[in-house]
Amino acid sequence: MPEEKFSLDINELINAAIEAKNNNLTQSEFHKRVVESGLSKDVIVEISKLKKEPEWMLRLRLKSLELFEKLPTPNWLPDFLSELDVSKMEIYIKPDAERTSNWDEVPPEIRKYYEQLGIPQSEQQYLGGLVATFESESIYSNVKQELAKKGVIMMPPEEAIQKYPDLIKEYFTKIFPVSDHKFAALHGALWSGGVFVYVPKGVKITTPVEGFFIIGSEMEGQFEHTLIIADEGSYIHFIEGCSAPQFKKFSFHDGMVELYAKKNAYIKFTTVQNWSKNVINFNNKRAWADENSTVEWVEGSLGSKYSFVYPSTILRGRNASSTSLVVTLASGEGEWKDSGSKMIHAAPNTKSKVINKNIGFNGGVNIYRGLIRVNKGATGAKAFVKCDSLMLDEKTKAYTFPHNQVFEEDADVAHEAHTFRMNEDQLFYLMNRGIDEKESVSMLVLGFIDEIMKELPFEYATMLNKVIKLELDKLGAVA
């Protein structure tokens, strides 16, 4: 085994988790399977040692490994994942590059991935800061001087652990505990790379900042961690970009995002996920919203073969609010996009809004799982959920599983769900005006998700537009 690369039989782990979910495996048998997969205490210790971590972080990793073995398997884990060939997955790969703040110092073979996506140009033109993660480590980190002068901290979490240990220790995995579910625990044991951002009191970052993550090789696992702390009265728009070239074999992603909006703060978190079609994507996303604060999730989930993402906000302070706008695209036979949002109202006069737009064709499957919970004492809470699914052919499927738990009589909770087929009258209208069928379909699909597209920065809305049009090119006759 090379010193800076560790492999794991993810197949064995997933199979064991599914067998445990179906009550076909005891705790001791599960432990044996985990060890056989290659996931051991020794591997965790070696990764921690490579990163020169403090003792408390090593203890957190080992505790996470212990929890991974003990926690029950989530019900949303589908049995068909056991059929995938994801043995001998590399769970930690240290790229052959030192971290830098100068693109000229990034090796050309790595830099080309970012240049093809226009990332250095985007940074130069409109980003206030950028951290780029390749394989298991961040290889580029830079924050513009005007933000640094205001006290904004933006860097990989590994660097932040060394420079700001108390701050990281106070918040890391506190917003999304590793005890939440099995794959959160797996993330806690294996996390590597990502972004840490701290915005001081009253500082408003007027230009977006970005974290960009690339899976550079097949049979690779990526476990990056993003932690954002917006102090009182601050503002930040963070963009999360994800990309991977098309490989012959699968890759595996199990990331985590933690957001903390303190009193009167505002966090907008935008994700453009365009993994290749052979990525299994788990992402654990949760926010805390204190008094009068706002958390806004905008998620474009276009890539990957199987995706499981549920942005969530815990509204902890009076008058806190949160929105979650999610669009998913399942565009191929067997593609499975499992998404949804969770809003927990834990204080009076809190507000939430969830808009989910699912598009499916060529046999893809879209699933919405949502939760609205109004705790006792959260008087005057208001929540609205709208979940729309657009299916472009007969082979495609869409399922909706909303769940409301309301413990205050004056709560105002509303839910809408619609499932549509392509509107043939509208299609006929457009084609009668000389627009060809594919262009007409594109226009109708983009109109379907317009309320989410308009929340994206122009450059990302344009990119999303192109990706959707490319996917729709695969579609045959619609009518």
Side-chain angles (χ1 to χ4, degrees), residues 66 93 187 248 278 328 439:
E66 189 182 323
I93 303 174
H187 171 91
K248 290 181 180 175
N278 41 20
T328 67
E439 184 62 22

Side-chain angles (χ1 to χ4, degrees), residues 33-47:
R33 297 276 291 274
V34 169
V35 173
E36 286 173 355
S37 77
L39 181 58
S40 67
K41 186 177 173 181
D42 290 345
V43 168
I44 302 297
V45 170
E46 280 302 310
I47 290 174

Side-chain angles (χ1 to χ4, degrees), residues 56-57 161 164-176 196 198 227 229 231 258 260 262 288 316:
W56 69 265
M57 180 56 79
I161 287 171
Y164 307 98
D166 294 341
L167 195 57
I168 297 294
K169 193 175 179 181
E170 184 177 354
Y171 295 108
F172 196 88
T173 65
K174 297 296 190 302
I175 300 162
F176 204 128
F196 169 71
Y198 171 75
L227 172 61
I229 311 297
D231 216 327
E258 298 185 283
Y260 189 3
K262 296 197 175 186
W288 280 353
R316 310 191 323 157

Side-chain angles (χ1 to χ4, degrees), residues 323-436:
T323 60
S324 181
L325 311 177
V326 179
V327 57
T328 67
L329 181 70
S331 59
E333 186 73 37
E335 272 189 34
W336 184 283
K337 299 295 173 64
D338 211 315
S339 72
S341 300
K342 298 176 184 177
M343 296 290 178
I344 314 297
H345 294 254
N349 301 322
T350 47
K351 295 177 184 175
S352 68
K353 182 170 81 171
V354 174
I355 306 289
N356 223 85
K357 298 276 187 175
N358 302 323
I359 305 161
F361 54 93
N362 285 342
V365 177
N366 277 302
I367 296 173
Y368 171 82
R369 296 179 205 272
L371 170 67
I372 298 293
R373 180 182 169 92
V374 178
N375 287 349
K376 192 69 181 169
T379 53
K382 293 183 178 179
F384 174 72
V385 178
K386 184 180 180 185
C387 178
D388 293 339
S389 297
L390 177 63
M391 297 190 290
L392 302 184
D393 58 34
E394 298 294 332
K395 297 188 294 181
T396 298
K397 294 178 181 176
Y399 303 95
T400 303
F401 302 103
H403 191 188
N404 294 337
Q405 299 173 348
V406 181
F407 298 98
E408 277 296 346
E409 290 188 359
D410 70 346
D412 183 355
V413 178
H415 175 86
E416 292 179 12
H418 305 96
T419 299
F420 306 93
R421 295 283 180 193
M422 177 57 70
N423 188 314
E424 294 187 15
D425 290 341
Q426 293 175 338
L427 194 61
F428 180 75
Y429 176 87
L430 291 171
M431 291 175 66
N432 258 355
R433 275 145 184 81
I435 303 171
D436 68 38

